[in-house]
Amino acid sequence: MSKTSRDLSPIFEPKSVALIGATGNPLKYGSIITANILANEYKGRIYPINPSEEKVWGLKVYPRIRDVPEEVDLVDIARPAEAVPEHIEECVESNVKAAIVISGGFKETGKEGEEREKEIARIARKGGMLLVGPNTMGIYSAKVSLSALMPPILPKPGEISLISQSGNIGTNLLAFGSAQGIGFNKFVSSGNEADVTILEYMEYFAQDPASKVILLYTEGLREGSNFVDVVKRITEEKPVIVYKSAVSKAGASAAKSHCGALAGSSKIYEAAIKQSGAIRASTVNGMLDLAVGFLYLPLPKGNRVGIVTWGGGYGVIASDSCELSGLEVPALSPETIQKIDQLLPSYWSRGNPVDLVGLINREVQPKVLEEVVKADNIDMIIASGFILSSSIGSSLYKLLGREQEDAGKNWAASGTKIIVNDIKTMVDKYHKPIVAVTLTTDSSTLKNVIESRVSAYSTLETAVEVLAKMHEYQKKLKKEKEYKLE
Amino acid sequence: MSKTSRDLSPIFEPKSVALIGATGNPLKYGSIITANILANEYKGRIYPINPSEEKVWGLKVYPRIRDVPEEVDLVDIARPAEAVPEHIEECVESNVKAAIVISGGFKETGKEGEEREKEIARIARKGGMLLVGPNTMGIYSAKVSLSALMPPILPKPGEISLISQSGNIGTNLLAFGSAQGIGFNKFVSSGNEADVTILEYMEYFAQDPASKVILLYTEGLREGSNFVDVVKRITEEKPVIVYKSAVSKAGASAAKSHCGALAGSSKIYEAAIKQSGAIRASTVNGMLDLAVGFLYLPLPKGNRVGIVTWGGGYGVIASDSCELSGLEVPALSPETIQKIDQLLPSYWSRGNPVDLVGLINREVQPKVLEEVVKADNIDMIIASGFILSSSIGSSLYKLLGREQEDAGKNWAASGTKIIVNDIKTMVDKYHKPIVAVTLTTDSSTLKNVIESRVSAYSTLETAVEVLAKMHEYQKKLKKEKEYKLE
């Protein structure tokens, strides 16, 4: 953490939360946010604030923040914009440490809103209170089990910390990732950033040991921001994965009306991201795929990929994808070929990719994979088609009936468990990244694999992007290190 | 159909099928293929052939093809390569009209296999018998409910006809598409193409009214092929969607060992695809996404996109994606703005993309959409976030219990039904393509929508690719027409 950055723990580790605008009306966000906090079993104390209600979701309601019997760490404000400055004033008077302003109707709506936004930022700063937003969808923190979020979702706890300049995209990523078995540590929808900015969140996550990978969805940057300096320092310690939108004229114009005018040319920002050493995802959901790779795998030491597939066509696509991403698909060494000769039928291709030529024997499959993993001229490995969808064998099930369907699902699931363990063991033993490609839309299969901490993807193209960007990051780290040693 | 092309109906509409190599051993493909045919309730007669078994899956087994009490249209051969020439000979003698050679061990394995392949092709041609493969995973045909496939899958019947030079990729696309609610009319894994080639399958699908869209996964082209002439004629009548792999050196080398040496440079082939007017998918599964667009939507008349989103960030990404794909995102006309002014809160952005600014009212949502759809300066429309995941609202369910969970799911499902109908009605009324973006991993929601014949995708990038390629195809058709009128 740089010396000038503030301690954001009142936002992410509050001992108590008050909700100004809490209500029993289930169609209002003041109700949904309270429900989210309760449903996620927040570890601190909760104080709904509303002068005209007595109970919200069974909790005692206080008329004003000053009526709460303790000094509150964090306040969540879901009230019309006009009412917000007064609430901010009250919070400061009651020694609240941080406020999240959910309400819209600020800078993003024009001149009047901009003035109002400046006003609340001024009051908060003067009172030494941190301010998240306004125009934010809230925050999440695994440590205290706090889901102070607008949409009714329950994130899965984990190691990713995410900052999003779009509330919808951020909360969708939380929902989407959680459904895929990917867990989050901290999340903030940064909103209009009247006070705390994305760089401050990033510095906070950088020094937070529970945040292993930092994700950023960004549309634009504030003027005079020292993005390169700050992020460069962070990427030397942990990966920062960025999706930058508003890269076109149409996109920039949409962003302007979306989260208020953001200064700085997109091109300059893009250059800054590159210079900072942050990893740029090619799609917004792709940030999660990259995070899974960086979380569960060691970095590759070179750019040479070994490919093992169940199905030759996928080997062709994987090879294309590697070469187009700057990765090499080297020939197998005579030793490796000799070893695999003892495992596969005589007509196997003797090349990289290794096609398992329809081999059904699930004991031999991981042995072939291991020969490729341990090869000296291979730095990273794609294992495609090893993990079977739990719904495989529909025609056999149909003929053999319900009982066989269950037996078949168990067979696929137990096979998946074995190969998942084999892959984990090989990653640990050989210190090389292995990505699994499931080639299935069966989301429950993929989820189980990811929850076992194996990096698995449903398409080869995604798997290759992950490997290519891990290699890029490793190269950069190495260069930095050499530079420092000189 | 050109005058020289053969009638392939014995392959795709056989009245009877015999299986040489059928067996009761469930670990052999001769058993799985028989199970697939039975489970999919093939409309013709089935004759398992095996000299050493009496019953397979409850069916009477015949020792040899000549023992079958009728002349058989199609024979499926799943026997070791060495035995295949003799079986082909027997089939010709018994007046079989077509044979599918599942077996590998031909050209893809070297010189000896190549000779064997030439031999079976010669015997078949001399006898006037069509030959699919060898080294194929089989065929599917909805008309006669025939799943003569190696993997245990049951395709969903529909309007897409697919040719794949990789059996794994082809059958995976069948399984994957079917699980997504996408239906197939005919499928062939073309294998080594010793006799029938991809161009002959294409000509057959071209004149087949039940095949509305043709999909082709291809790695390479045979020498002297008249791809451009044939496919150009077809694309004037119906869309041909191609995924071409082996576009890199590494990919081409993998393809060589995968489906035998394929002549011709990749660059020449790629130029031929372009010249033919075929639509090129950027990912292999993306072929299915494109097919869904071409099947359910009219072609756009121009390149101007109207974007309506639930969530401003997604509007930014959609705008980026459109501009980068050559599509325009024009400003809204004063008339459209005035109409939407009456529907949305005063602080809406008054621009394209239209952000629904968190509007929960599901009756107003389609009204806003319709104003954009009917606008004179809009040719095609992206409707993002209208369709809710059936799992939405997890925290509320958790607090309110099981009964509320069901109520919530019903609410989401009924809302989806309404918006799906609204979208279909608008497509018909205004003759403009509308793509829905669900932004959910919830595959059951997406499947229901696709089965209602609405083009829906889980990411904006995919939706934009579909619109851009539909626009490209429309431009090409228009140009052809103008050329012909001259």
Side-chain angles (χ1 to χ4, degrees), chain A residues 36 39 176 246 250 320 323 395 441, chain B residues 36 176 246 250 320 323 395 398 441:
Chain A
N36 284 338
F176 185 82
D320 277 343
E323 189 173 313
S395 66
T441 40
Chain B
N36 284 338
F176 185 81
D320 277 343
E323 190 173 310
S395 65
K398 196 172 167 191
T441 40

Side-chain angles (χ1 to χ4, degrees), chain A residues 310 356 359-369 386:
Chain A
W310 212 88
L356 293 174
L359 176 80
I360 293 180
N361 186 325
R362 303 192 82 184
E363 279 171 26
V364 180
Q365 288 179 358
K367 290 184 185 160
V368 177
L369 180 62
F386 285 75

Side-chain angles (χ1 to χ4, degrees), chain A residues 442-454:
Chain A
D442 173 1
S443 52
S444 66
T445 301
L446 196 57
K447 186 182 172 185
N448 288 339
V449 176
I450 289 176
E451 285 184 337
S452 313
R453 303 182 70 83
V454 160

Side-chain angles (χ1 to χ4, degrees), chain B residues 142-411:
Chain B
K143 191 169 178 185
V144 292
S145 260
L146 177 60
S147 289
L149 296 167
M150 265 169 84
I153 52 173
L154 298 175
K156 182 181 159 71
E159 298 151 300
I160 298 170
S161 286
L162 165 65
I163 304 154
S164 179
Q165 279 184 332
S166 156
N168 262 293
I169 287 177
T171 53
N172 259 329
L173 283 169
L174 283 189
F176 185 81
S178 300
Q180 279 185 291
I182 301 170
F184 296 86
N185 197 270
K186 295 180 178 66
F187 163 71
V188 61
S189 155
S190 61
N192 292 1
E193 301 171 44
D195 179 41
V196 190
T197 64
I198 55 171
L199 282 184
E200 273 184 279
Y201 295 120
M202 262 210 276
E203 294 211 70
Y204 182 71
F205 294 165
Q207 51 77 43
D208 167 30
S211 302
K212 306 282 189 205
V213 176
I214 300 172
L215 266 51
L216 171 66
Y217 168 81
T218 180
E219 296 180 355
L221 205 59
R222 243 134 273 284
E223 221 161 337
S225 159
N226 50 344
F227 186 92
V228 176
D229 295 345
V230 172
V231 179
K232 204 168 182 179
R233 237 184 309 120
I234 299 173
T235 58
E236 282 167 29
E237 304 300 328
K238 56 180 87 169
V240 175
I241 298 165
V242 176
Y243 184 82
K244 161 80 172 76
S245 71
V247 294
S248 67
K249 268 190 193 169
S253 147
K256 203 171 166 184
S257 69
H258 168 227
C259 65
L262 289 163
S265 137
S266 188
K267 292 282 161 229
I268 293 175
Y269 191 10
E270 285 169 51
I273 293 170
K274 193 168 182 189
Q275 225 186 314
S276 74
I279 297 124
R280 216 161 145 193
S282 67
T283 63
V284 64
N285 290 346
M287 284 203 285
L288 297 176
D289 300 319
L290 285 165
V292 163
F294 279 97
L295 275 176
Y296 302 154
L297 296 174
L299 294 173
K301 294 193 179 64
N303 78 338
R304 299 164 302 175
V305 186
I307 303 167
V308 185
T309 70
W310 213 86
Y314 287 106
V316 179
I317 295 179
S319 303
D320 277 343
S321 207
C322 284
E323 190 173 310
L324 299 176
S325 308
L327 302 179
E328 202 191 322
V329 185
L332 298 179
S333 71
E335 294 89 325
T336 305
I337 291 177
Q338 202 191 350
K339 295 262 180 61
I340 300 179
D341 271 341
Q342 291 158 36
L343 297 165
L344 287 183
S346 61
Y347 52 87
W348 79 282
S349 68
R350 289 183 173 73
N352 182 17
V354 176
D355 177 6
L356 293 174
V357 289
L359 176 80
I360 294 181
N361 186 327
R362 304 193 80 185
E363 278 171 27
V364 179
Q365 288 180 355
K367 288 183 186 161
V368 177
L369 180 61
E370 186 160 10
E371 290 306 329
V372 177
V373 175
K374 66 158 77 144
D376 285 341
N377 65 337
I378 295 296
D379 302 307
M380 47 191 155
I381 299 90
I382 296 171
S384 166
F386 284 76
I387 291 161
L388 297 179
S389 156
S390 66
S391 61
I392 205 172
S394 43
S395 65
L396 291 175
Y397 298 151
K398 196 172 167 191
L399 289 181
L400 294 168
R402 185 79 210 165
E403 208 171 290
Q404 283 301 312
E405 179 166 355
D406 292 340
K409 279 186 184 164
N410 290 341
W411 177 80

